[in-house]
Structures are given as C-alpha cells and as structure tokens.
C-alpha cells in the first residue's frame, strides 16, 4: 500500500487516484490548481452563464440540497449573490439527524425559494438498505441513487434546465478532472461513480434474479422505485437540462462554507460528536453516512472518513500531515457502536450476520489475513491487526500472504 | 458526398480510462465499460480505443461495482465488444500480425499501429494483405516545437524519429495503410483546438482518410479540423466533460456547415 506524500490518500482508494514521480496524488495536484485560478473571472463567468437561464415565468435554477453547510452556501450564492429564483430539491432517505432536519426545514424561510422534498416509503428504504449492504457492501446506495436522480426528475418535470451542484466529489478528493474542464453532471457519473454501475432495476426481484442473487429478493417492484428512475436522454435533451458544479466557479472550501452559513443564517452543526470522524459539520442528512456507511469503506479499502476529512484539511492548509495521521489513528478503524446498533435494529439484522457479510467485501489489495486477524499497512509505517476474520476457509485463500493479490508470478 | 465522422477516443491505462495532458499527466476517470455503454446508447459513429499502458498491470482498483474482474487488455476488449455496436478501432501495444489477429478475433473492426509501423513498415503491408487496408489504421503522434514544424514521435511520445508527419503519412499510405489517425502530442489535453497546419499538410499529402486528434476543448473547434482537410474529427477528454457530448459535438459541426450523421 502506498500513501500520498502530501495528503494521506492510499493508492487503494474509493476515489481512483494516480501518483506523480514525487509520490503526490492527483487529488493534491488538482487542488493545487485552485491557487492559480482567477476566481473573480470565474465568478463573472458564472454570472453570465446563469443570466442566460433567467426565466420569465419559471424557476431560474434548481439546486439539489441536503440542508448541509454546502447546500446553504449554494442557496446563498444563487439567491442572495446572483438574485435567482431558486427551486430546491431534496432526497430524504429517512435518516436525518435532528440538526439536519432543522437546517433543511429552514431553507425555505431563508432563501426566497420553493422546496420539493421527496421522501420514499420507509418500508422500501429499509429493503434498499438490506439489499444494498448484501449486494455491494453499501447500505446507503439508495441515498446516492436518490440524490443523483430526484433532482434531475424534478428538473425535467418542472422544465428547469439549469441545475447547480456544489463540489464535484471525485474531482475534489481524487483529482478526476481539471479545473479547465468545467466538468458537468452526467448520467454516466451517476451510474458509474455514484452508483457503482448498479441501477434501480438491479434491486427489483427480477433484477436480482438476473444478477444471480435471488436470495436477496425483497419483493421490490419497478413502481416501488419510481424516485430512483433516471429520465431518458430524450426528456433531458428536450428540456436541455445541464448540471454545473459551483466548485468550478468559486474557490470552494467546505470549512469556510460552514463558518459563513453559521454566521449568516444560524446553520447548526451536529451537537453530538460522530464516532468515526472529528468533523461535526458534514453529513447531517444521514446519520449512517459517517457511521456504518463509512465503516464499510474501512472494511473494503482500509481507510475512512477521518482520512478524507484530514486530507481535505491538509490540502486546505489548516492541518499538518502529522496531526492528520493522529486523526487517522484515532478514528479510521472505529466500529461505530451507537450507529451500528441503531442500524441493525432498523433493518432487523444481527451483528454476527453483519460482520460475516462485511468480510465478503474486504479487498485483497488492502487486506491480508495473519493469524486469524485482518491486517493492513498503516500510514504511520508497518502494519497492524484490526480484528478477527469471519470468512470461511475457502474464501480466505486470496488474503493469505503467499498468494497475495497483485502481479501473478509466471 | 460521404458524411464526415465524429469519433470519441478512449484512453486505457492499466485497466482504467484516463484523461490525458501532453502524453504525461493522466487522471483516472472511470472503468473501461460504462462510458462505452453511453456511446452505444447515443449511436456514436465510431469508437477508437487506445491502450496507453506502459506496464502489464491492469486493475479496476475495486471489486464492489457491477463491472468486475477485468485484469487483461484482451478481456477488456471482449467486454467492450459485447457492449459496443459501433465500428471499433483498437490500438496500443500491438507489435505483430498475431497481436492484430487476437484483437480482430475479440471484436475489433480495425486496428491501429504506431511504433510498430515506424519500426517495421512492412507490417502495414502484411496486415493490409491479411485483414484488408480498410482495417489498418496508422496512428501518427507528432510534436511541434514552438515555431517549428512537427516531428513524428513513437513510444508514446518519448522517442523522436526525425520524420515529418506528412512525409511519414505518405509512406504509410504507400505501404497500404487505410487510414491515418493524426495526433498532436503538444496539444493533447490543452483544449486550444487542433494543430490545423499539420492536419492540412498531412491531408494534402495523402488520399486516404485522415482522422484529426488532439487539442479539442470546445465543440466549436471540431469543424476547423474538418475544414483543414480531415475526414473525421476525433477527441478524447472532452467526451467525458458534459452530458450528451455526441449530440453537442454534432450540433456544433452541423451548425458550421459540416455534413454529419445526426
């Protein structure tokens, strides 16, 4: 395992990275571009672009929001700085923190806008949690799907061609594109990076059968997942829907966004600390996002949200790498008790079952088995054991050191 | 009159698709299959797939997605062919007739060679005899130094050959190449438009079709390449930036008066 020499990203990351000859990752390299961009000029470009979409008798812009710090910032820019008539659209996955609910509810008081909140039936969501977890080690798949589908559905339905997202996650974390690309939202980004290639139909009985995973069927039908169905190209083309990222036009900084909207609008961070990260102002729209969902990232790839947050803070120059490593040591491996217990109850599953399924998603690029324990390389050097193995014998083979993953010896 | 073509180029590096700048900076933008699915839905004219890997490690980096277990370029080609119903040109790391055969067997409609063509031009003739000229595309990578004239490079832009692109293109045509894929190294990923002078001189030197590649940063620039003499306008990075990029490119071409299949 290799780690970026500037931030802390591992070579085996959920966001695919490349490294330069100095061992600096593509995420750091692209973040470095932000220092030389003419942001005043970029803001003028944004003004010009949004002006072209001002409507006589419709919304000027649609903003997908969760109610988080970045949502407030997007709404602030669109409504207050640009003077646009805003339509807010939210996917509600049923797991908001109370602070998140409070922030979300206040948006229509603060930003002179209408707000559509789509809340799928809870029974369907619970089933989606279970299938997502067992099929791809991500119980929050429904969340990614809802967030990347509902706003486009509403844009088509209300004929609002311009959508404004916040930051491009994979570009920000992994350096997927450059700032000169002015990358926009695409169905491909949704399917491949948001949803890992799976779509809503894979969760229906028929879809699971096609995947050869009949044992995961929960009785879901296409009409249970209407909120998850991406509009066809023709509909998108006829309205001319496009989704720009605000991070291409403004010097985006999550920490500064949080400070600004707290000061201007009384936006609230989480009152109770998270179990797996030191930040309290991220992911209030879903309590499991920093909990079980993120623990599964550690299970798969051997790193977690503390690595993400600290890497962002290191790139922004507000944290040293040493301090970042301290955060990783403290948080990355934590099994979130409070969050896990809530979730197991929510989906009616035992912890034994949970642990056994988790282990089927360990990636041999990150993990090996030594003495019945899961072992991985650490950013501070050497390697450590991170708990007992729950896999059955034949499944263990690919994690044993001798025949470890990577180059096959010929 | 034959319609002009608009062609996406996908760059495969060690198992993942990448965005490229000046042949030296590469950023991972996704797995080798899902983008092809989109091109197929759009009914794209044609697809060029170039394997620019410099080592034998092909890895998807994760196995929790729907696309899994692709660790071999030929298996990747097989998967691409299953997904892709448009004409497919495959290039990169092809050295022998057998390499070509392996790729045709797995669904490539044309192959493109670059370094091997310069090192062994007879390979072009041999390939044209066996597979037909129309299936043999010679890829030319050329670099233009400030104010100078372009020079042909091989080995992924690392080795100079001393040849001019138009001189080499003419020779390649003589050896039996059916098409020239003309790529500018210095304009790769810059977004400032094609090297029009180079496209003009190569198009004038040969009577086979020339595909222009390298430098597109806006759809409006495609037409310049066609007007400079290219039969097809190709690009890599820009296809990944915006939704419905095929339609966007074709609309711009059509608006500029280029005869294109919409």
């Amino acid at each position: 395992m290799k780690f970026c020499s500037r931030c802390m990203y591992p070579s085996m990351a959920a966001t695919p990275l490349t490294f330069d000859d100095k061992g600096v990752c593509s995420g750091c390299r692209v973040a470095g571009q932000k220092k030389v961009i003419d942001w005043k000029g970029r803001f003028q470009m944004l003004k010009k672009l949004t002006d072209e979409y001002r409507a006589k008798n419709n919304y000027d812009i649609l903003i997908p929001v969760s109610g988080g710090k970045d949502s407030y910032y997007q709404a602030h820019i669109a409504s207050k700085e640009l003077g646009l008539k805003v339509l807010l659209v939210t996917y509600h996955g049923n797991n908001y923190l109370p602070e998140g609910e409070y922030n979300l509810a206040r948006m229509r008081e603060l930003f002179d806008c209408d707000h559509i909140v789509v809340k799928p039936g809870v029974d369907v969501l619970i089933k989606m949690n279970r299938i997502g977890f067992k099929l791809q080690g991500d119980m929050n798949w429904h969340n990614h799907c809802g967030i990347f589908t509902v706003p486009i559905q509403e844009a088509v339905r209300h004929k609002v061609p311009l959508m404004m997202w916040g930051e491009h996650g994979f570009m920000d974390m992994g350096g997927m594109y450059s700032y000169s690309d002015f990358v926009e939202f695409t169905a491909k980004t949704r399917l491949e990076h948001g949803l890992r290639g799976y779509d809503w139909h894979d969760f229906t009985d028929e879809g699971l059968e096609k995947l050869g995973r009949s044992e995961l069927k929960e009785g879901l039908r296409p009409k249970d997942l209407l909120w998850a169905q991406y509009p066809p190209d023709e509909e998108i083309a006829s309205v001319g829907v496009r989704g720009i990222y605000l991070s291409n036009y403004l010097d985006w900084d999550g920490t500064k966004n949080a400070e600004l909207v707290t000061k201007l609008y009384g936006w609230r961070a989480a009152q109770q600390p998270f179990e797996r990260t030191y930040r309290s102002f991220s992911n209030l729209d879903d309590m499991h996002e920093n909990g079980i969902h993120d623990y599964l990232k550690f299970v798969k790839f051997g790193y977690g949200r503390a690595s993400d947050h600290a890497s962002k803070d290191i790139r922004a120059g507000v944290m040293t790498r040493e301090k970042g490593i301290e955060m990783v040591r403290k948080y990355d491996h934590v099994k979130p008790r409070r969050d896990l217990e809530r979730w197991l109850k929510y989906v009616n599953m035992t912890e034994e079952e949970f642990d056994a399924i988790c282990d089927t998603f360990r990636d041999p690029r990150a993990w090996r088995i030594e003495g019945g324990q899961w072992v991985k390389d650490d950013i501070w050097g050497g390697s450590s054991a991170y708990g007992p193995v729950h896999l059955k014998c034949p499944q263990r083979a690919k994690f044993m050191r001798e025949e470890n993953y990577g180059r096959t010896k010929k | 009159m034959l319609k002009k073509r608009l062609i996406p180029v996908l760059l495969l590096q060690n198992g993942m698709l990448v965005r490229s700048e000046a042949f030296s900076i590469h950023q991972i933008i996704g797995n080798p299959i899902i983008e092809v699915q989109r091109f197929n839905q759009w009914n794209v004219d044609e697809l060029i797939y170039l394997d620019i890997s410099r080592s034998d490690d092909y890895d998807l980096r994760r196995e929790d997605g729907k696309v899994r277990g692709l660790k071999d370029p030929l298996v990747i080609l097989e998967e691409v062919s299953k997904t892709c119903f448009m004409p497919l040109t495959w290039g990169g790391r092809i050295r022998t007739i057998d390499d070509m055969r392996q790729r045709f067997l797995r669904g490539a409609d044309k192959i493109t060679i670059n370094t091997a063509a310069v090192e062994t031009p007879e390979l072009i003739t041999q390939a044209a005899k066996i597979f037909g000229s129309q299936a043999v595309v010679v890829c030319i990578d050329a670099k233009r130094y400030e104010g100078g004239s372009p020079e042909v490079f091989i080995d992924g832009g690392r080795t100079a050959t001393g040849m001019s692109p138009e001189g080499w293109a003419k020779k390649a045509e003589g050896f039996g190449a059916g098409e020239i894929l003309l790529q500018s190294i210095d304009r790769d990923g810059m977004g400032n438009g094609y090297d029009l002078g180079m496209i003009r001189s190569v198009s004038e030197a040969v009577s086979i079709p020339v595909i222009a590649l390298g430098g597109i940063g806006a759809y409006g620039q495609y037409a310049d390449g066609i007007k400079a003499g290219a039969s097809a306008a190709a690009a890599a990075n820009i296809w990944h930036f915006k939704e419905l990029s095929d339609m966007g490119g074709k609309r711009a071409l059509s608006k500029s008066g280029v005869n294109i299949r919409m």
Side-chain angles (χ1 to χ4, degrees):
Chain A
M1 185 67 71
K2 189 172 156 186
F3 297 91
C4 173
S5 59
R6 191 171 297 163
C7 71
M8 298 190 299
Y9 265 102
S11 51
M12 177 54 203
T15 20
L17 299 160
T18 52
F19 290 87
D20 68 15
D21 355 320
K22 289 183 187 119
V24 176
C25 78
S26 40
C28 282
R29 204 175 47 229
V30 170
Q33 295 176 357
K34 290 167 78 171
K35 291 183 189 122
V36 294
I37 289 172
D38 165 22
W39 289 111
K40 274 190 186 149
R42 291 263 172 143
F43 190 68
Q44 290 309 313
M45 287 172 75
L46 176 69
K47 258 190 172 159
K48 207 173 142 217
L49 192 158
T50 51
D51 275 345
E52 284 166 23
Y53 285 90
R54 280 182 198 275
K56 206 168 200 173
N57 198 21
N58 198 2
Y59 302 104
D60 299 322
I61 197 164
L62 183 153
I63 310 182
V65 291
S66 65
K69 64 189 194 311
D70 297 337
S71 302
Y72 267 55
Y73 185 63
Q74 286 158 257
H76 166 77
I77 293 294
S79 164
K80 312 282 177 176
E81 303 269 327
L82 298 169
L84 300 167
K85 182 68 191 180
V86 175
L87 174 63
L88 299 177
V89 177
T90 299
Y91 168 78
H92 193 296
N94 199 39
N95 291 325
Y96 268 73
L97 287 174
E99 300 87 333
E101 290 280 17
Y102 170 84
N103 292 329
L104 184 70
R106 288 185 69 228
M107 291 195 84
R108 70 191 167 108
E109 296 169 20
L110 298 167
F111 297 110
D112 176 35
C113 57
D114 296 343
H115 192 171
I116 295 173
V117 183
V118 174
K119 297 181 168 184
V122 172
D123 183 52
V124 167
L125 287 176
I126 291 173
K127 289 172 175 171
M128 294 291 283
N129 263 265
R130 276 195 296 258
I131 299 172
F133 173 56
K134 293 173 186 170
L135 181 65
Q136 43 174 306
D138 182 2
M139 24 65 74
N140 257 356
W141 185 92
H142 71 91
N143 229 9
H144 318 315
C145 183
I147 288 167
F148 289 132
T149 307
V150 163
I152 298 87
Q153 287 184 343
E154 298 301 331
V156 168
R157 192 168 292 147
H158 297 281
K159 300 192 168 46
V160 184
L162 187 62
M163 288 192 299
M164 188 175 80
W165 300 87
E167 64 183 342
H168 188 288
F170 276 68
M171 178 173 164
D172 178 58
M173 306 291 272
M176 184 175 277
Y177 299 95
S178 289
Y179 280 91
S180 56
D181 298 343
F182 292 94
V183 63
E184 295 188 5
F185 183 84
T186 64
K188 184 247 174 186
T189 301
R190 166 190 175 269
L191 183 65
E192 179 171 359
H193 301 300
L195 311 184
R196 280 175 234 110
Y198 290 96
D199 214 334
W200 64 271
H201 45 75
D202 292 313
F203 286 71
T204 61
D205 282 2
E206 204 187 334
L208 286 164
E209 211 151 289
K210 264 193 210 152
L211 291 174
R213 300 298 303 271
S214 299
E215 79 280 8
L216 304 185
K217 286 201 266 188
E218 295 264 12
L220 290 178
R221 306 157 297 173
K223 64 179 167 187
D224 293 319
L225 300 169
L226 295 172
W227 53 271
Q229 299 174 17
Y230 200 77
D233 281 343
E234 305 79 67
E235 286 184 21
I236 288 174
S238 80
V239 178
V241 177
R242 64 188 285 203
I244 59 168
Y245 291 93
L246 196 48
S247 56
N248 278 321
Y249 300 93
L250 285 169
D251 194 358
W252 188 271
D253 181 337
T255 310
K256 284 190 183 142
N257 293 354
E259 285 165 9
L260 183 82
V261 301
T262 304
K263 198 176 91 197
L264 290 181
Y265 303 110
W267 181 87
R268 286 186 189 165
Q271 303 300 300
Q272 193 178 21
F274 287 112
E275 293 166 282
R276 291 186 43 77
T277 183
Y278 60 94
R279 264 196 192 183
S280 61
F281 56 70
S282 294
N283 305 105
L284 315 188
D285 58 322
D286 191 307
M287 61 181 94
H288 300 307
E289 196 63 19
N290 281 335
I292 295 307
H293 169 75
D294 188 57
Y295 175 70
L296 287 165
K297 186 162 77 188
F298 179 72
V299 164
K300 287 175 182 174
F301 307 119
Y303 78 103
R305 190 75 36 139
S307 286
D308 291 326
H309 289 161
S311 291
K312 281 184 181 220
D313 285 343
I314 291 167
R315 288 178 193 164
V318 296
M319 189 180 272
T320 62
R321 196 165 184 273
E322 289 66 40
K323 181 77 183 164
I325 290 174
E326 206 181 291
M327 292 297 112
V328 170
R329 278 191 110 124
K330 185 169 172 195
Y331 289 108
D332 260 10
H333 64 282
V334 171
K335 194 174 183 181
R337 296 306 325 169
R338 188 175 79 223
D339 197 71
L340 177 63
E341 270 148 37
R342 188 268 174 192
W343 187 75
L344 290 175
K345 220 163 129 190
Y346 184 53
V347 299
N348 190 23
M349 191 182 288
T350 64
E351 189 164 348
E352 291 70 40
E353 200 182 341
F354 174 81
D355 286 336
I357 293 169
C358 275
D359 273 5
T360 64
F361 289 102
R362 300 263 176 187
D363 198 300
R365 298 166 183 83
W367 295 101
R368 56 187 189 270
I369 295 175
E370 281 172 22
Q373 290 273 318
W374 287 114
V375 172
K376 72 167 195 78
D377 294 344
D378 294 318
I379 188 168
W380 54 89
S383 47
S384 316
Y386 290 91
V389 175
H390 303 274
L391 283 183
K392 299 217 170 63
C393 264
Q395 294 169 290
R396 293 184 176 210
K398 63 178 172 179
F399 298 100
M400 306 312 268
R401 202 44 161 168
E402 301 75 50
E403 36 194 315
N404 215 347
Y405 187 81
R407 270 154 257 208
T408 20
K409 291 180 186 76
K410 280 173 190 153
Chain B
M1 197 185 125
L2 222 58
K3 284 190 177 8
K4 303 297 181 190
R5 292 165 289 158
L6 179 65
I7 305 174
V9 177
L10 294 178
L11 303 172
L12 178 72
Q13 189 183 57
N14 299 112
M16 300 288 279
L17 296 183
V18 293
R19 177 192 180 282
S20 170
E21 266 179 41
F23 279 41
S24 58
I25 297 172
H26 297 108
Q27 288 150 278
I28 296 175
I29 54 138
N31 76 47
I33 307 301
I34 291 189
E35 192 76 68
V36 180
Q37 291 172 358
R38 281 304 271 161
F39 293 166
N40 211 45
Q41 286 165 0
W42 299 338
N43 199 9
V44 161
D45 293 340
E46 191 173 328
L47 169 63
I48 298 176
Y49 218 111
L50 301 178
D51 182 357
I52 60 167
S53 313
R54 284 178 185 173
S55 65
D56 292 328
D57 306 305
Y58 291 77
D59 188 3
L60 285 172
R61 306 285 193 101
R62 60 192 293 176
E63 297 296 334
D64 59 339
K66 199 169 182 181
V67 175
R68 296 182 186 193
L70 301 177
K71 294 180 188 305
D72 178 309
L74 293 178
V75 176
I76 293 172
L77 167 56
E78 265 171 30
E79 281 302 310
V80 168
S81 303
K82 271 187 221 161
T83 310
C84 163
F85 301 105
M86 61 209 111
L88 170 66
T89 302
W90 193 273
R93 314 193 89 193
I94 296 174
R95 292 285 181 275
T96 65
I97 293 291
D98 189 54
D99 287 345
M100 296 177 197
R101 189 171 285 124
Q102 294 288 346
R103 282 147 183 88
F104 285 120
L105 278 173
R106 284 170 176 79
D109 299 291
K110 306 184 215 177
I111 54 87
T112 177
I113 48 174
N114 186 329
T115 306
V118 170
E119 287 172 349
T120 340
E122 304 75 41
L123 193 64
I124 307 172
T125 316
Q126 235 181 321
K129 258 191 206 137
I130 300 171
F131 308 111
S133 259
Q134 84 296 332
V136 182
V137 181
V138 167
C139 176
I140 300 177
D141 295 335
K143 194 190 290 186
R144 186 194 287 276
Y145 293 102
E146 199 104 18
S149 47
E151 177 183 358
V152 175
F153 276 68
I154 54 171
D155 293 327
R158 284 170 296 178
T159 311
T161 65
M163 295 191 292
S164 75
E166 60 274 18
W168 168 229
K170 206 168 165 53
K171 274 188 200 155
E173 181 181 26
F175 280 111
E179 225 169 352
I180 300 290
L181 172 59
L182 180 63
Q183 175 160 228
S184 164
I185 297 171
D186 44 293
R187 287 181 173 253
D188 174 45
M190 295 302 141
N192 299 325
Y194 290 130
D195 185 332
L196 299 175
M198 179 165 84
I199 294 169
R200 201 168 292 120
S201 56
V202 172
S203 304
E204 278 164 10
V206 297
S207 51
I208 52 177
V210 173
I211 304 166
L213 175 60
I216 291 296
Y219 298 143
Q221 296 162 347
Y222 282 133
D224 303 336
I226 300 288
K227 285 174 183 162
S231 303
N237 295 351
I238 196 170
W239 285 81
H240 308 300
F241 300 161
K242 288 182 172 60
E243 188 58 282
L244 305 175
S245 42
D246 187 53
M247 190 198 287
K250 284 185 167 170
R251 276 194 185 146
L253 276 163
S254 172
K255 217 170 127 184
S256 304
V258 175
N259 183 15
I260 194 122
R261 186 179 66 95
M262 292 302 282

